[in-house]
C-alpha cells in the first residue's frame, strides 16, 4: 500500500497525483473519478498499475480518434503510430475497441485503397498488392480485394488507357524495339503482367493502323 501525499487539479482536465514515496502522475479527471482518487488516502500497487493503464488507454484512444479524423488507417498503420508513444498492451486495447466499433476495418480500408490505386493511378494488380502489403493488410484480405483487378481483360483495358495517356510518345514507331521494351518495363513496374501487356500493345498498334 502506498500513501497519497496529494491529488489536486493541475491543467486542463488532469489531476496531479503525488505519492509519499515520490512518484508524480498526471491522471485524467474521468479516470480519477473511476478510482475515487479525491477521497482516498492510499492506493495499492495493483490498483495503481491498473489505473495508469486505463489512463494511458484513454489518452491513446483519443489520440487515435484525432488521427482518424485526418486520414484513414489500416490496423497495422495505426498500431505503429500509437506504439511510438504507448506500450503495446495499451495499443492492443485501443485497437480492439476501435475494431469492435467498426472505426478500424481492414476490409474497407483495402477496398478503398485498391480502388484509388486502380482507378486514379491506373496501377496493375501486382502494384496494388504491394501497396496493401506495405500498409500491413493481411494476405487473405489482399488476395480477396485484388481479385477483381487480376483478369487479363481488365488489365488489358487499363494498360490501353495508360498507353494513350502516358506512353504514346514511346510508341510512335512500332519498329523501335528499344522504346517498346522501355514501355513494357514501365508497365511491369506499374504492376501489370507480361501477357496483358503484350495483348494491349498488339491492340494499340492495330488501332493505330486503322
Amino acid at each position: 500500500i502506498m500513501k497519497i501525499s496529494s491529488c489536486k487539479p493541475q491543467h486542463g482536465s488532469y489531476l496531479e497525483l503525488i505519492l509519499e514515496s515520490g512518484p508524480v502522475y498526471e491522471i485524467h479527471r474521468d479516470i480519477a473519478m473511476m478510482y475515487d482518487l479525491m477521497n482516498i488516502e492510499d492506493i495499492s500497487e495493483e490498483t495503481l498499475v491498473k489505473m495508469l493503464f486505463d489512463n494511458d488507454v484513454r489518452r491513446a484512444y483519443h489520440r487515435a480518434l484525432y488521427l482518424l479524423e485526418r486520414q484513414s488507417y489500416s490496423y497495422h498503420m495505426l498500431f505503429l503510430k500509437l506504439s511510438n508513444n504507448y506500450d503495446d498492451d495499451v495499443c492492443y486495447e485501443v485497437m480492439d475497441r476501435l475494431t469492435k466499433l467498426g472505426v478500424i476495418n481492414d476490409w474497407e480500408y483495402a477496398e478503398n485503397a485498391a480502388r484509388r490505386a486502380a482507378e486514379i493511378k491506373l496501377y496493375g494488380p501486382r502494384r496494388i498488392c504491394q501497396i496493401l502489403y506495405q500498409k500491413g493488410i493481411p494476405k487473405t484480405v489482399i488476395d480477396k480485394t485484388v481479385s477483381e483487378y487480376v483478369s487479363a481483360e481488365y488489365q488489358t483495358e487499363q494498360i490501353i488507357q495508360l498507353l494513350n495517356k502516358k506512353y504514346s510518345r514511346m510508341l510512335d514507331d512500332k519498329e523501335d524495339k528499344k522504346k517498346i521494351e522501355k514501355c513494357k518495363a514501365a508497365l511491369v513496374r506499374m504492376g501489370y503482367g507480361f501477357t496483358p501487356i503484350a495483348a494491349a500493345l498488339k491492340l494499340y498498334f492495330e488501332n493505330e493502323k486503322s
Side-chain angles (χ1 to χ4, degrees):
I1 298 293
M2 293 169 282
K3 281 285 184 184
I4 296 174
S5 291
S6 68
C7 185
K8 57 188 178 182
Q10 190 188 30
H11 59 80
S13 299
Y14 285 86
L15 303 178
E16 182 182 67
L17 171 66
I18 303 176
L19 300 182
E20 201 172 71
S21 55
V24 179
Y25 303 100
E26 283 189 358
I27 308 297
H28 193 274
R29 288 178 183 273
D30 293 347
I31 304 300
M33 287 179 63
M34 280 174 56
Y35 288 86
D36 200 24
L37 272 187
M38 300 297 289
N39 299 310
I40 59 175
E41 296 180 353
D42 49 46
I43 187 169
S44 70
E45 184 175 353
E46 181 183 356
T47 301
L48 177 64
V49 168
K50 178 71 168 64
M51 182 180 68
L52 293 177
F53 175 79
D54 289 342
N55 197 54
D56 280 347
V57 167
R58 189 190 184 285
R59 286 191 186 207
Y61 183 79
H62 285 274
R63 173 64 177 165
L65 293 179
Y66 172 83
L67 292 169
L68 287 164
E69 283 180 0
R70 281 147 183 78
Q71 71 173 80
S72 59
Y73 285 84
S74 67
Y75 185 106
H76 178 74
M77 290 167 61
L78 188 56
F79 186 95
L80 287 181
K81 194 85 170 175
L82 294 176
S83 67
N84 290 329
N85 301 101
Y86 300 98
D87 293 340
D88 282 0
D89 55 347
V90 171
C91 297
Y92 280 120
E93 177 66 25
V94 171
M95 296 307 299
D96 284 349
R97 293 185 186 184
L98 294 172
T99 302
K100 285 175 184 175
L101 286 172
V103 178
I104 288 293
N105 185 322
D106 276 351
W107 285 99
E108 186 176 306
Y109 181 92
E111 288 172 4
N112 290 335
R115 190 179 303 113
R116 286 194 300 271
E119 295 178 4
I120 298 173
K121 299 288 189 180
L122 295 178
Y123 287 151
R126 291 177 187 171
R127 184 71 178 273
I128 297 171
C129 284
Q130 289 173 353
I131 291 169
L132 297 181
Y133 177 79
Q134 289 166 359
K135 303 296 185 183
I137 302 298
K139 186 177 184 303
T140 51
V141 179
I142 293 175
D143 290 345
K144 177 69 174 174
T145 303
V146 180
S147 63
E148 65 179 283
Y149 304 107
V150 298
S151 74
E153 183 182 358
Y154 178 84
Q155 289 190 63
T156 301
E157 289 176 359
Q158 292 284 92
I159 294 167
I160 288 173
Q161 283 192 63
L162 276 169
L163 296 179
N164 287 316
K165 289 175 66 174
K166 193 172 181 180
Y167 298 113
S168 58
R169 289 184 181 179
M170 286 188 188
L171 305 173
D172 54 357
D173 181 1
K174 69 174 184 178
E175 301 302 325
D176 191 333
K177 303 300 182 185
K178 189 174 180 180
K179 281 188 177 180
I180 291 173
E181 289 305 314
K182 189 176 179 181
C183 178
K184 287 180 180 179
L187 291 168
V188 169
R189 290 194 297 272
M190 292 283 285
Y192 292 100
F194 291 106
T195 300
I197 288 173
L201 284 168
K202 184 173 181 292
L203 284 171
Y204 179 85
F205 286 125
E206 285 175 354
N207 290 334
E208 285 291 293
K209 280 182 185 179
S210 57

